[in-house]
Amino acid sequence: MPHRADPRVQQELMHSLYSDHHSWLFTWMRKRLENQCDAADLTQDTFVRIHTRQESDKIDSPRAYLLTVAKGIISHFYRRRSIEQAYLEQLALLPEQAMPSQEHQLIILQTLEQIDALLDNLPKKVKTAFLLSQIEGKKYQQIADEMGISLISVKRYMKQAYLQCLMLMEEDFFAGI
């Protein structure tokens, strides 16, 4: 839960953080992204994320804090771009009559991003077992053999992954209420 200080103090601190460090952060982002538009967007996203948390009064080392938040945003940006590129490559293989509408493409892309975020929260072995089952269609025994683990471990990993999926679905369901 975000820390709630006096809103005026938060606003002043956020203004100061932004005016003192925006140019520096933008330059840092531009060097890493090699694209001025993406750097501008992600710099802004960094400040929006910090503002949303309403914890600017707790920042002791502004540049270190900004870098930490910015690195997470850049990581998410590249992961999202990778997912989008893979999806577009698969779409290009479809015949025109099977092409989903723009709206459905966006929904599918957002769903893929949610699944990626979900999988990112799973331990590596759980994620691997889940992907081998769901993407490659392998049977549990095949997964156990390939990963060098017992069948019961595969079942346990799959249960963990499915529970995580159910929790995500439940969060989405209750968020819509």
Side-chain angles (χ1 to χ4, degrees), residues 37-56:
C37 292
D38 289 338
D41 287 345
L42 297 185
T43 299
Q44 198 64 23
D45 289 351
T46 301
F47 285 102
V48 168
R49 179 151 318 153
I50 292 168
H51 177 68
T52 302
R53 291 180 182 164
Q54 295 187 357
E55 294 184 343
S56 51

Side-chain angles (χ1 to χ4, degrees), residues 12-100:
E12 289 172 16
L13 289 169
M14 195 65 218
H15 176 73
S16 176
L17 181 69
Y18 188 88
S19 60
D20 292 349
H21 301 286
H22 179 273
S23 178
W24 168 81
L25 184 61
F26 171 73
T27 301
W28 184 87
M29 287 269 201
R30 192 179 62 226
K31 287 178 185 175
R32 271 126 197 100
L33 298 171
E34 299 176 352
N35 179 312
Q36 192 164 345
C37 292
D38 289 338
D41 287 345
L42 297 185
T43 299
Q44 198 64 23
D45 289 351
T46 301
F47 285 102
V48 168
R49 179 151 318 153
I50 292 168
H51 177 68
T52 302
R53 291 180 182 164
Q54 295 187 357
E55 294 184 343
S56 51
D57 59 326
K58 293 185 172 187
I59 300 173
D60 294 326
S61 303
R63 288 192 175 183
Y65 188 79
L66 285 166
L67 283 179
T68 300
V69 174
K71 286 176 183 177
I73 287 174
I74 289 173
S75 175
H76 176 74
F77 172 78
Y78 280 124
R79 186 170 45 244
R80 183 179 196 284
R81 182 178 275 176
S82 173
I83 291 168
E84 188 172 336
Q85 186 60 40
Y87 176 62
L88 292 174
E89 288 171 7
Q90 291 302 310
L91 275 181
L93 299 175
L94 292 176
E96 193 170 325
Q97 63 271 22
M99 189 71 67

Side-chain angles (χ1 to χ4, degrees), residues 113-128:
E113 289 172 3
Q114 287 178 328
I115 292 168
D116 180 61
L118 164 99
L119 294 176
D120 231 28
N121 293 328
L122 293 173
K124 184 172 176 31
K125 287 184 178 184
V126 175
K127 180 178 178 178
T128 301

Side-chain angles (χ1 to χ4, degrees), residues 114 168-177:
Q114 287 178 328
L168 178 66
M169 289 170 49
E170 186 177 87
E171 287 173 12
D172 283 350
F173 175 77
F174 286 114
I177 292 179

Side-chain angles (χ1 to χ4, degrees), residues 106-142:
L106 182 60
I107 291 169
I108 292 167
L109 189 56
Q110 289 173 338
T111 302
L112 288 171
E113 289 172 3
Q114 287 178 328
I115 292 168
D116 180 61
L118 164 99
L119 294 176
D120 231 28
N121 293 328
L122 293 173
K124 184 172 176 31
K125 287 184 178 184
V126 175
K127 180 178 178 178
T128 301
F130 185 77
L131 290 174
L132 288 172
S133 170
Q134 299 303 302
I135 303 299
E136 295 187 22
K138 294 188 176 184
K139 305 260 186 242
Y140 287 6
Q141 187 59 58
Q142 291 173 304

